[in-house]
Amino acid sequence: MEVRRTVPVKLAVDESEADLLHETIQQFLDAANYVVDAAYDGEWVETRKSVLHDETYSDVRERTDLHSNHVQSARDRVVDALKSVVAKWSKGETASLPTFTALFCEYNHRNATFDDDHATLSTVDGRITVGYQFPDENHDTPHSEYLLNDAYETTGATLHYRNGSFFLYVRTKADVDVPDRPENGTVLGVDLGVENIAVTSTGTFWSADELNHWHREYEKRRGSLGQCGTRWAHENIQSVGRTETGRFEQLLHRIANEIVEEAIEYECSYIAFENLTNIRDRMGGCKKLHSWAFGRLFDCVTYKGEPHGLIVEQVSPAYTGQRCSTCGFTHELNRASQESFCCQDCGYENHADYNAAKNIGLKLLRNQTGGKGGAPVGVRLNSGMVNTNGVVPVPDSVRVGVHAESPRL
């Protein structure tokens, strides 16, 4: 199967090269925003690439010094963003037309070349060669695993400028052998929450304390800077946002790695998440940050599980918090509090998130067994397994997972 990975690489550039890259990025953003304006006539949004190419390509080439492929890439990014907006409008949701302000620029094999330790990039004034700055210890890193691995082919890259440095996010792909998945596999259920960002049916908890703590800290910093009202403060607010995102990305990558490792350890073939649609409306205390984190975690687990033959799916979250995973009795009083679950029928007691994780796994189990075969045999628990017909003996206690100290991408 084809596996795709993106590797961030810090670039070594001198002052003159930095000036060219800054100007190239600025003109790329100007081109993208010009296409956005051309796509909207006050009533209709044009999302066809061919039409927008005819309407904007010549104008952008005259307005900028960009390479032709930069012009096309800017248009393609606009089309993707516009389609997302139109999709929200079709659902009755509110969405604004995109405005491109983040400092980035797209590259492919027509306007860049990529080597093991450097890249040549087209700018508004010819090509420049920029070196890669790798970590001091470059073993067991994304650079060694993907970028410097002959099995992976470089397909393109996105140039970003943040925190005073340029980074090239290099995209790679490879065909890898996927382990044979058992015809009848096993499900690992995953519950998502505000207090515990993830809980598995095997009883491993990943607390959201770190996520929530740093979100509050960054909110305080943004609030303090916002009171200044200066351009310096505005630029620092953007920098704080990028730092926050980077920290949270590392956290989510670590959790995703550990969820995948959990599935492999317990010989699971499926990982079940609750459906994330409208999760902020359904989950009390859920902020925009949390819904973003849930979606990002799902994406990370999905692509990290692919090379191991793991299938990651979503199921309806309806009543997963109120249903007893032991006897099936469903009632709102079963969930006595945010953390406690006590079945009003059979008396089963446990952590509410752990109970929900088992129910999420059971939902996927029922969906699979109601299909055309290839059904999982059960939901993996912290000891044993539960299936639709009964439970292989499982203790009520849950365990707290031991997390790796160093996050891996």
Side-chain angles (χ1 to χ4, degrees):
M1 67 172 292
E2 183 179 272
V3 173
R4 294 177 178 269
R5 295 291 183 268
T6 300
V7 183
V9 184
K10 188 174 182 178
L11 302 181
V13 299
D14 60 29
E15 185 175 348
S16 61
E17 292 167 341
D19 290 341
L20 286 174
L21 292 177
H22 278 302
E23 183 60 26
T24 303
I25 288 175
Q26 191 57 57
Q27 292 196 25
F28 183 87
L29 299 180
D30 291 343
N33 289 318
Y34 180 84
V35 176
V36 172
D37 292 339
Y40 183 61
D41 64 3
E43 296 182 359
W44 171 263
V45 176
E46 180 59 68
T47 58
R48 290 172 294 178
K49 290 182 181 180
S50 58
V51 174
L52 287 176
H53 176 85
D54 293 340
E55 292 182 356
T56 64
Y57 180 79
S58 297
D59 291 342
V60 174
R61 289 284 281 167
E62 291 180 4
R63 290 165 54 93
T64 68
D65 300 311
L66 293 173
H67 188 281
S68 60
N69 285 94
H70 277 145
V71 176
Q72 295 173 27
S73 295
R75 178 205 63 217
D76 292 347
R77 288 295 294 260
V78 169
V79 169
D80 291 341
L82 290 175
K83 286 182 177 179
S84 177
V85 171
V86 171
K88 291 181 179 179
W89 287 351
S90 66
K91 298 177 183 178
E93 300 176 6
T94 302
S96 302
L97 291 174
T99 300
F100 292 86
T101 58
L103 302 177
F104 79 99
C105 181
E106 293 289 351
Y107 282 93
N108 55 42
H109 282 292
R110 294 179 180 175
N111 54 17
T113 59
F114 306 96
D115 211 325
D116 287 346
D117 59 355
H118 70 274
T120 61
L121 306 176
S122 291
T123 70
V124 292
D125 188 18
R127 289 201 175 206
I128 61 173
T129 299
V130 292
Y132 295 159
Q133 291 185 335
F134 293 127
D136 293 336
E137 295 184 4
N138 197 33
H139 59 278
D140 296 330
T141 68
H143 310 96
S144 60
E145 189 173 357
Y146 308 120
L147 191 61
L148 303 178
N149 187 340
D150 291 338
Y152 280 80
E153 172 192 354
T154 299
T155 60
T158 304
L159 176 69
H160 288 269
Y161 180 77
R162 56 182 174 83
N163 298 332
S165 299
F166 288 96
F167 293 84
L168 201 61
Y169 283 68
V170 183
R171 296 183 291 274
T172 66
K173 69 175 183 179
D175 289 325
V176 300
D177 294 330
V178 178
D180 293 334
R181 181 170 55 86
E183 183 177 351
N184 289 308
T186 305
V187 180
L188 179 72
V190 182
D191 179 60
L192 304 173
V194 175
E195 298 299 325
N196 294 300
I197 193 168
V199 178
T200 62
S201 57
T202 49
T204 303
F205 285 62
W206 286 271
S207 173
D209 287 349
E210 182 178 348
L211 182 81
N212 295 329
H213 166 75
W214 283 109
H215 178 61
R216 290 192 295 269
E217 291 299 312
Y218 288 123
E219 283 286 278
K220 291 178 183 177
R221 295 183 194 179
R222 278 190 289 266
S224 177
L225 290 168
Q227 294 178 357
C228 297
T230 63
R231 179 175 180 178
W232 172 87
H234 176 70
E235 292 175 349
N236 274 272
I237 289 174
Q238 292 180 318
S239 177
V240 168
R242 290 190 291 269
T243 302
E244 179 183 26
T245 300
R247 179 185 289 273
F248 294 159
E249 283 277 357
Q250 285 193 332
L251 172 65
L252 295 171
H253 274 283
R254 187 191 75 195
I255 296 174
N257 280 329
E258 292 170 359
I259 290 176
V260 171
E261 291 169 2
E262 191 92 351
I264 295 171
E265 177 185 351
Y266 285 94
E267 299 180 345
C268 298
S269 299
Y270 296 81
I271 301 178
F273 283 78
E274 60 185 297
N275 192 296
L276 302 179
T277 304
N278 299 324
I279 193 168
R280 289 185 67 190
D281 297 330
R282 295 186 278 104
M283 187 179 296
C286 183
K287 299 181 179 180
K288 185 177 181 180
L289 165 71
H290 296 104
S291 60
W292 168 82
F294 298 151
R296 190 73 185 100
L297 181 61
F298 174 80
D299 291 341
C300 289
V301 172
T302 299
Y303 84 75
K304 289 175 183 290
E306 285 178 356
H308 303 285
L310 293 168
I311 297 176
V312 185
E313 296 187 8
Q314 295 183 359
V315 299
S316 169
Y319 304 112
T320 53
Q322 299 177 6
R323 180 185 184 277
C324 177
S325 58
T326 298
C327 72
F329 179 70
T330 303
H331 196 282
E332 61 182 7
L333 294 180
N334 282 350
R335 189 156 188 167
S337 67
Q338 188 66 28
E339 296 184 354
S340 301
F341 182 90
C342 180
C343 180
Q344 302 300 301
D345 187 36
C346 72
Y348 171 74
E349 295 184 49
N350 215 314
H351 195 288
D353 294 341
Y354 176 54
N355 177 75
K358 291 195 288 183
N359 283 327
I360 289 169
L362 282 166
K363 278 207 172 186
L364 181 60
L365 181 69
R366 293 190 181 91
N367 292 346
Q368 296 289 344
T369 53
K372 299 180 179 179
V377 297
V379 176
R380 180 61 69 182
L381 307 181
N382 59 339
S383 177
M385 194 178 330
V386 61
N387 56 39
T388 55
N389 297 319
V391 180
V392 178
V394 178
D396 287 343
S397 60
V398 298
R399 63 187 179 86
V400 178
V402 179
H403 303 152
E405 294 182 358
S406 301
R408 293 175 53 198
L409 298 178

